[in-house]
Each structure stands twice: as structure tokens, then as C-alpha cells.
Amino acid sequence: MAMKVSFFFVCFLMSFIFSSSSSLTTTTGSIDWWCTQTPHYQTCNHHIAYSNISSTTISINQFLDMTVAAAINEARSVQKRAQGIYLDYEPNALGKNLWGSCVDYFDGIVFTLNMVLDPTEQARPLDVHTWLSAGLTYINVCEKGFEMINMTNTMLLSISTELRELLLNSLAISVAIQGGSYSNNSRGLHGWEFSNEYKLLNSRNFDPDVTVAKDGSGDFMTVQEAVDSTRKEREWGERYVIFVKRGVYEEQVYIAHDVNFVLMYGEGVNNTIISAAEHSGGDLKSSATFQVWGRGFMAVDMTFRNTAGPNGGQAVAFLSNSDESVIYHCSIEGYQDTLFSLHFKQFYKECQIFGTVDFIFGNGHSVFQDCQVFLRKPLPGGGLVVTAQGRQYQNESSGFSLQGCNITAGEDLKPVIDQFKKAFLGRPWFDYARTVFMESFLDDLVDPLGWEDGWGHKDTAYCGEYNNYGPGSTTDHRVDWPNYEAITDPDIAKQFTVVEFIVGDDWIPTTGVPYVPGFERS
């Protein structure tokens, strides 16, 4: 049995293809023995076997709980050390803001891992897997910030290595428990019920808890004040509805981890606008005009805009780390790094997304359905790239699926489009990036190669196209990468539809937002 389980984990790491082993869930062994089966034995042994009676016989589920608990303790320790480094920096020193954001990311790891151990969550396997991989995403983004400002950071590597290895062990155990597959069975999480919401959403006849109005006619004059008024003691699943009247609200808005089920709606994309002009300097999080971390967020009929412009570099308009969030009839506007889909399951429906380079990016588990994707005029000599997906490990469930979208030039680019090189559909941001364009219109501004290897991940990233149309959709001259696929098998493409990729049938109907669960085009 020991040889069988060890081989199982090796297969997991090398190819993510398992044969189901129902005996794993009934196998018991000592803590020390279980540690020998993990990808990072020494870290497991140090944090778990040494702190427990290593000869105690436990099940694989108990072992997962122990590993997650060890990761929580390590994340708290790493956060404390990062906080100390942040405080030691001079106020305007290079990298200080990045350390501040990293402290927040490590706090997010603790918050998310506690969800894994919370028995009231009644989470399905895909939820657990997504929550575990979130911690890896936070570490990666933290590290990437220093890389983007060409700042070598051996200190961050030294304090986060064991945390990363504990998270990787947790992921391996989680997938092993499931026999190497993700179960998408409906879990009815907490019995989420939003009565009459479908009717309300179709008619836009919301009953707001609070109203924001610049002219003082509402409850608040800023959006952040309305967010801060959210009652945290609400019943689970009870929405807090914020109506934002027409106007341009020049502010940065932050919705925290523990502020869940906020529904924010405006008076239309050209009328209700949240705008700021921050740019990153490597700190993507701090540049965001609007960022949301609480679960179940919804936005309807609004614009999120970053006005740093093409000279501003990386400047995020909208950052979402909200699990099972829905963005409907919204406009997300910027240039480089416009929409940061950081992590978790997200659904964007009938939105407008504007940008130049990597303007849909992150490690989100996201579907963009029937969206208008507009490439804007870049700086002279600048490039055009739609996506930069950030899946780093083969056992992560994340990726981007753009279905039924239009990929075209924006009004500012159209008159001068011949002055610039053609656009790429994406460039893989991390090793196992996964991006699929399906049933979408690709205009002739798309480069015949389709994809660009911006960071050297062409041998491991997955890039797929299925049943697209338009002058830029021909795949005859696409890149010759090992994992590029001009998909012809509907069964493969189906894996990237709403119903399968983000198990949308389990949670999107409660929002009332219309969606297509499967294919749009026959």
C-alpha cells in the first residue's frame, strides 16, 4: 500500500492524471508515514511529525486537517515577519508598499485556510481545492511585485518557502482524497437563497439598503462610506444592496474579506462611474480603483475606471478576489493590467473591458461570457495583448474562458491601427497558465500566431481555441507550442463552459443573472 500511495503522489505531481483509488480514503498510517508520501517530506516532518506523536495512526482526511492547520500557523508567522520588515522600511523606501501588500496577502492566506477547516462551510471538493490554491496565488503575486520593479528579494523567499511547501502538500492530499478528480456535485452551500432576486434583477427594481449620491440626496456621498456601513452580522447569504446614483466618484474602493454578499448597482455604465488614477510601481493591489475580497459580490450597471493612461504603466481598474462573484452589464476601463482576476470563481456577463497589454490577468477561475473586449491605442511602439493568465501549478483548477466575446479595436485605435503590430490573444504569465477563447469573434487585428511567449512558459502553458469566427480566427498559422490546441472535440471544449468550468449551475441562478450553461453556437 505504501508503494501504491507514493506512486499516486508522483503521478499527481508529474501529470495530474490519476487512477481513482477508493482505498485511499480508508487508508490509515502514522503521521511520519503520511509525510513520506507528500511532495515536501522534510517540511511536513518539521511542522507536523515533530509537533505531534509521529507514530499516531490517522486517516488521510485527518492528515489534511493537520497539514492545513500547520499552514495556518506558518502563515501567521510569515505575516508577522513581513509586518516587521514593512515597519523597518523608511516611509518612501523602494519596496515598502509592496511589503505592506504582502502582509495583506499573508493575512488572506490565514483567512482562506480557516475556511477549509470550518465545518459549517459544508464545502464541496472544488471549493476546498480552490481555497487551498489561493494561498499559492497570493505568494506568487507578492513575489511578482518585487520582480516587476527589478528588486531582488531573498528575504521574501526565505520566509515564504516552507509556507508554499505546506500549501503544495495540502493540495496534493486534497486531490488524492478525490482520486485525482474534482467533484462538482452541488453542495447547496448554507442553502443560499435570495428570494425573488431573478425578478428584481431583470427589472432592475432593487430595494437598496443604502444609497450613494454625490449631491447629498442619499445616505452617503462616497462609495467607500456605503461599503463601510455594511452590517457584518447579517444572516449568511443575505445581500447588502448599495445603489450608486449617477456621477463620477473619484475614489478608491476596498471591500474586505469579511464583507460578503454585497450587491452594488448603478444607473448605467455611462452614468455611474468609479474612477481613480493610481498606478502600481509593482504594487498591483494598491493601484486598483476598486477591489473586492468578500464572497458573493455582484456589480450591475456600473463603470470601474483607471485613468492613469497609457503612460501610467500597470494600473488596475478592477481587482476581484471574490469567490462566486458576478459582474453584469459593467464597463472596466484602463490600459495595462485593467482587470485583475486574482483568484476564485468569477463570472463576467455582457461587460465591456478596455485595455492595451495584459488587461485581463491574474489566477482567477473565470468565465467571460458575451463580453466586448476593446483593444486601445498603446504608446508608440507598444504592444497589444489581451490576457495574461497566472496558473503556476498543474494541480490548480484556475484559468480563463472567454466565450461568445468580441475581440476588436477600440475607437481610439481604429484610425491608427496600421501603425501598430497586431494583437495577441494572450501570453502565459506563469508556468501552467490556461486560457481558452471559444465561440468568439476575433477581428483582423489578431496576429496570425495568436499567442506570445512573454515569460518563457510556452512549453507548459495551455492555450486553446474553439469554434471562433471572424477574420482573426483562422488557426492555420498559430504558434507551434506543445500545449496549444485548436480544439475540434466538443467534449474538450465543454470543459470550459460555465456549467463545467466554474460549476455555474450551482450558484449563478441564485443571482438572477442570465447565462448560457453550455455552448452558445451549434
Side-chain angles (χ1 to χ4, degrees):
M1 179 59 71
M3 288 297 292
K4 181 178 180 181
V5 177
S6 180
F7 174 74
F8 183 92
F9 275 103
V10 170
C11 287
F12 163 75
L13 291 171
M14 297 302 294
S15 65
F16 193 47
I17 299 174
F18 303 83
S19 59
S20 178
S21 178
S22 59
S23 63
L24 279 172
T25 57
T26 59
T27 297
T28 59
S30 68
I31 296 172
D32 184 66
W33 179 81
W34 278 117
C35 280
T36 65
Q37 312 308 308
T38 64
H40 299 283
Y41 162 72
Q42 290 183 336
T43 299
C44 176
N45 196 50
H46 174 72
H47 286 272
I48 302 174
Y50 283 177
S51 58
N52 295 276
I53 301 174
S54 61
S55 60
T56 301
T57 299
I58 59 172
S59 69
I60 191 171
N61 289 285
Q62 291 172 312
F63 183 53
L64 174 60
D65 288 348
M66 284 184 171
T67 306
V68 172
I72 291 172
N73 289 334
E74 182 65 9
R76 287 183 176 133
S77 175
V78 171
Q79 183 194 30
K80 184 176 180 180
R81 282 178 279 177
Q83 178 73 26
I85 295 169
Y86 168 76
L87 294 174
D88 286 343
Y89 267 67
E90 294 297 323
N92 296 316
L94 182 67
K96 183 178 178 68
N97 287 342
L98 282 172
W99 275 111
S101 288
C102 288
V103 170
D104 291 340
Y105 286 130
F106 293 130
D107 180 60
I109 293 174
V110 174
F111 186 92
T112 306
L113 291 181
N114 274 310
M115 290 160 53
V116 176
L117 297 183
D118 184 353
T120 67
E121 289 289 348
Q122 303 175 28
R124 61 177 175 242
L126 180 60
D127 295 321
V128 172
H129 194 82
T130 301
W131 297 339
L132 290 173
S133 65
L136 294 167
T137 297
Y138 299 157
I139 295 172
N140 292 341
V141 173
C142 176
E143 291 177 345
K144 203 70 172 178
F146 290 99
E147 180 183 316
M148 288 187 292
I149 60 172
N150 298 315
M151 184 176 177
T152 303
N153 198 323
T154 56
M155 179 63 72
L156 177 60
L157 180 64
S158 68
I159 69 173
S160 64
T161 295
E162 291 193 4
L163 174 58
R164 186 196 302 273
E165 291 176 351
L166 286 168
L167 290 168
L168 287 169
N169 282 354
S170 299
L171 271 176
I173 300 163
S174 174
V175 176
I177 289 172
Q178 300 308 315
S181 64
Y182 303 111
S183 172
N184 291 338
N185 294 332
S186 175
R187 49 75 170 105
L189 182 58
H190 294 289
W192 295 2
E193 294 290 344
F194 308 111
S195 60
N196 298 320
E197 190 153 287
Y198 188 82
K199 178 179 178 181
L200 288 173
L201 190 53
N202 281 340
S203 65
R204 301 293 202 277
N205 184 27
F206 297 110
D207 183 16
D209 291 290
V210 295
T211 298
V212 182
K214 287 180 66 69
D215 61 7
S217 62
D219 301 291
F220 302 101
M221 295 181 68
T222 70
V223 178
Q224 188 63 57
E225 287 177 310
V227 169
D228 293 341
S229 74
T230 303
R231 295 174 289 110
K232 295 183 176 65
E233 67 275 10
R234 288 174 290 132
E235 292 293 325
W236 181 262
E238 179 188 352
R239 289 211 179 274
Y240 192 76
V241 181
I242 300 173
F243 172 41
V244 186
K245 287 188 174 182
R246 65 180 61 232
V248 179
Y249 297 82
E250 296 180 344
E251 57 178 303
Q252 287 182 283
V253 178
Y254 175 82
I255 301 179
H257 288 284
D258 58 349
V259 180
N260 301 310
F261 303 109
V262 170
L263 190 163
M264 186 177 294
Y265 72 101
E267 295 191 86
V269 295
N270 296 316
N271 299 318
T272 299
I273 301 167
I274 301 177
S275 179
E278 296 297 320
H279 54 93
S280 77
D283 187 6
L284 295 166
K285 177 176 175 291
S286 295
S287 76
T289 298
F290 191 102
Q291 56 180 298
V292 54
W293 296 74
R295 281 192 276 178
F297 175 73
M298 286 183 64
V300 182
D301 291 335
M302 299 183 66
T303 290
F304 305 97
R305 179 181 293 165
N306 190 307
T307 59
N311 291 304
Q314 296 164 307
V316 177
F318 185 84
L319 183 159
S320 178
N321 196 55
S322 175
D323 196 15
E324 301 191 353
S325 57
V326 173
I327 313 301
Y328 181 48
H329 274 181
C330 288
S331 186
I332 304 170
E333 303 172 5
Y335 285 84
Q336 183 175 355
D337 293 357
T338 303
L339 194 167
F340 192 178
S341 176
L342 180 56
H343 202 76
F344 297 118
K345 299 182 295 297
Q346 304 176 21
F347 182 57
Y348 296 80
K349 178 71 173 182
E350 296 177 12
C351 291
Q352 300 174 355
I353 307 168
F354 295 80
T356 52
V357 178
D358 307 334
F359 60 98
I360 301 174
F361 77 109
N363 194 26
H365 192 174
S366 306
V367 172
F368 303 83
Q369 192 174 82
D370 302 329
C371 292
Q372 304 293 322
V373 179
F374 294 109
L375 289 123
R376 306 181 81 167
K377 178 183 175 183
L379 292 172
L384 296 166
V385 185
V386 178
T387 67
Q389 210 281 323
R391 178 172 172 255
Q392 182 165 9
Y393 300 100
Q394 198 171 7
N395 56 336
E396 293 184 275
S397 57
S398 53
F400 291 162
S401 174
L402 289 86
Q403 180 187 22
C405 296
N406 288 339
I407 315 300
T408 59
E411 292 302 317
D412 60 340
L413 178 60
K414 285 180 180 178
V416 294
I417 195 167
D418 292 338
Q419 299 176 20
F420 298 94
K421 295 179 180 179
K422 287 187 176 290
F424 294 101
L425 297 175
R427 53 178 182 169
W429 193 22
F430 282 92
D431 290 349
Y432 289 95
R434 178 165 54 181
T435 308
V436 171
F437 284 75
M438 57 190 296
E439 302 182 310
S440 293
F441 174 80
L442 309 183
D443 212 343
D444 59 2
L445 83 167
V446 175
D447 192 290
L449 288 172
W451 306 82
E452 182 182 38
D453 186 24
W455 290 282
H457 305 311
K458 67 178 183 179
D459 291 334
T460 49
Y462 179 81
C463 303
E465 299 179 54
Y466 174 74
N467 202 18
N468 296 310
Y469 62 104
S473 65
T474 303
T475 60
D476 294 346
H477 302 288
R478 289 295 196 248
V479 291
D480 183 21
W481 296 354
N483 297 304
Y484 167 76
E485 185 172 17
I487 303 170
T488 57
D489 185 348
D491 288 337
I492 294 176
K494 187 170 63 174
Q495 298 172 32
F496 298 96
T497 59
V498 168
V499 68
E500 293 208 10
F501 193 51
I502 57 173
V503 290
D505 280 355
D506 280 5
W507 53 278
I508 297 176
T510 65
T511 70
V513 169
Y515 72 101
V516 178
F519 294 124
E520 292 191 346
R521 303 176 68 213
S522 58

